[in-house]
Amino acid sequence: MSKLRSISIERDYVNTAFSSVLYSSGDTKVLVTTSIGDRVPNWLIGKNQGWVTAEYSMLPGSSSQRVSRSAYDKGRAKEISRLIGRSLRTIIDLEKIEGLVITVDCDVIQADGGTRTAAINGAWIALKDTFNKLIVNKDIKDNPLLGQIAAVSVGILEKEVILDLDYSQDSKADVDLNVVMTSDKEFIEIQGTGERKSFSQKELEEMIKTASDGIDEILDRQMKEFS
């Protein structure tokens, strides 16, 4: 039976950021840090709310072949940054962080598949730490978190549904799916592609069920950090 890769979480991994998390899924490792600003986007001025945004990148040495900073940032990284940002904002009451801008930086330091999903999983933990600290510092009154989010990849490889693919599996998969869900069992995003073949509705349903079960495990693992 397909299962999640081993998860490792190290909070307060660096002491220079407002909050930080090193999130590992198998051999994929993502460093998530947060920073706080007070210049909301122009289109939010006067709307009595704050903002949460995300930036994603792969460090040059995160892959066996050097990742170019400039070339990577122009394409795929921007799309993933937007995915992370809108996923996080889904479960945040932005009015409760009025006047604040929280930037969540997700830097892949070692890539072995599932970097975007690992970034989302680590980002939620970093944000929870961030909001807890803002409350202690009396910068905000109430916790703006409305729930949890988690994400995982799932695919079809040699007619078998595989959860949380590593790079060797992902590079050969016939179908590749990334699923982001809330703790209320609602979907934020489903990104799916038939890489080498089309897939049926039955296969899609099986992949989503497998991903949902995996996300339940990730949500539990996230909460264990705060118990």
Side-chain angles (χ1 to χ4, degrees):
M1 183 178 178
S2 182
K3 61 181 182 179
L4 290 172
R5 292 179 287 172
S6 61
I7 295 173
S8 172
I9 298 168
E10 297 181 59
R11 292 158 63 200
D12 298 319
Y13 188 73
V14 298
N15 60 16
T16 48
F18 194 80
S19 69
S20 63
V21 174
L22 179 66
Y23 186 95
S24 302
S25 176
D27 286 332
T28 287
K29 300 180 184 296
V30 182
L31 174 61
V32 182
T33 58
T34 66
S35 56
I36 311 297
D38 58 5
R39 296 185 62 180
V40 298
N42 289 338
W43 51 272
L44 275 182
I45 294 175
K47 293 190 176 181
N48 301 317
Q49 67 180 58
W51 192 243
V52 173
T53 187
E55 293 190 15
Y56 166 99
S57 68
M58 289 182 64
L59 298 186
S62 61
S63 177
S64 57
Q65 293 185 341
R66 184 182 184 276
V67 179
S68 170
R69 296 179 193 271
S70 59
Y72 194 84
D73 287 345
K74 289 179 181 178
R76 184 167 173 262
K78 288 186 177 180
E79 179 264 321
I80 297 174
S81 297
R82 294 187 184 106
L83 167 65
I84 298 168
R86 63 178 174 262
S87 297
L88 295 172
R89 289 190 295 271
T90 301
I91 45 86
I92 296 170
D93 184 344
L94 294 174
E95 291 184 356
K96 291 184 178 179
I97 58 168
E98 180 181 352
L100 298 179
V101 176
I102 300 171
T103 301
V104 182
D105 285 292
C106 304
D107 291 295
V108 179
I109 63 176
Q110 184 169 288
D112 187 33
T115 59
R116 72 183 69 190
T117 55
I120 290 170
N121 297 334
W124 184 85
I125 298 168
L127 267 186
K128 185 169 175 62
D129 273 336
T130 294
F131 293 142
N132 288 343
K133 291 178 182 179
L134 287 172
I135 290 171
V136 169
N137 295 344
K138 298 184 178 180
D139 293 314
I140 60 175
K141 293 181 179 179
D142 303 310
N143 196 319
L145 274 178
L146 303 173
Q148 279 178 265
I149 59 168
V152 76
S153 64
V154 63
I156 297 177
L157 177 61
E158 297 177 353
K159 299 182 179 181
E160 181 182 357
V161 173
I162 304 294
L163 179 67
D164 195 15
L165 294 84
D166 62 24
Y167 178 76
S168 66
Q169 295 167 325
D170 183 65
S171 62
K172 296 182 291 187
D174 294 319
V175 181
D176 184 22
L177 221 67
N178 290 298
V179 181
V180 188
M181 295 181 69
T182 72
S183 48
D184 292 328
K185 296 285 190 179
E186 293 186 342
F187 295 98
I188 296 174
E189 191 135 352
I190 300 173
Q191 300 177 334
T193 305
E195 299 284 357
R196 290 179 170 80
K197 75 174 189 67
S198 58
F199 52 97
S200 67
Q201 181 173 332
K202 182 179 179 180
E203 288 173 320
L204 176 60
E205 290 170 352
E206 185 180 355
M207 285 188 288
I208 290 177
K209 174 64 167 60
T210 300
S212 178
D213 290 344
I215 284 173
D216 282 342
E217 291 186 49
I218 296 168
L219 292 169
D220 288 343
R221 181 64 182 84
Q222 287 173 327
M223 286 308 297
K224 284 181 179 177
E225 288 296 309
F226 300 95
S227 60

